[in-house]
Amino acid sequence: QHHSFIRHHKESKTYKMAEAAGAKIFKTKCSQCHTVEAGGAHKQGPNLNGLFGRQSGQAAGYSYSKANLESGITWGDDTLFEYLLNPKKYIKGTKMVFAGIKKKDERKNLIAYLKSATSS
């Protein structure tokens, strides 16, 4: 099934608002374990720079779970949308200790932020 993601131009007000909301979600729910900037440190979780279009388990220098390495997932809007709902269900055996984000809008906003923050 297909999800309607925010497909607005990156400069549009709606997209900027989603990105800003996503940045807050990242700060409260993700930044304890992840960094997004190029050359950022691995923490408990890997640095997420270059995440979109990359296969899971590929950030250099991070020790991934066997489950993550062997999942064969390529990260994009749809895979992240499902993964962030319930990481342990999406990749059985992942070592990511995170319950997930139930609200669709929160996941969409977080993905909008990640798309921007991890590509710079």
Side-chain angles (χ1 to χ4, degrees), residues 4 20 35 58 69 106 108:
S4 57
T35 57
Q58 300 303 308
L69 286 168
E106 284 190 8
K108 287 180 186 176

Side-chain angles (χ1 to χ4, degrees), residues 5-6 8-12 14-24 26 35-38 47-53 75-77 80 107-120:
F5 281 95
I6 301 165
H8 303 290
H9 189 266
K10 281 201 179 217
E11 298 308 310
S12 80
T14 312
Y15 194 88
K16 290 285 184 208
M17 284 170 65
E19 232 176 80
K24 285 181 182 160
F26 184 85
T35 57
V36 290
E37 66 279 359
N47 168 271
L48 301 175
N49 199 264
L51 178 70
F52 284 80
W75 296 119
D77 287 353
L80 280 166
R107 278 181 283 147
K108 287 180 186 176
N109 292 343
L110 178 57
I111 290 166
Y113 166 74
L114 285 172
K115 197 174 273 186
S116 164
T118 63
S119 66
S120 47

Side-chain angles (χ1 to χ4, degrees), residues 47-65:
N47 168 271
L48 301 175
N49 199 264
L51 178 70
F52 284 80
R54 185 171 72 203
Q55 200 166 334
S56 63
Q58 300 303 308
Y62 183 77
S63 173
Y64 288 93
S65 64

Side-chain angles (χ1 to χ4, degrees), residues 86-98:
N86 189 340
K88 286 197 178 317
K89 187 176 175 191
Y90 197 73
I91 299 181
K92 288 176 175 51
T94 184
K95 65 181 184 183
M96 183 157 106
V97 186
F98 181 65

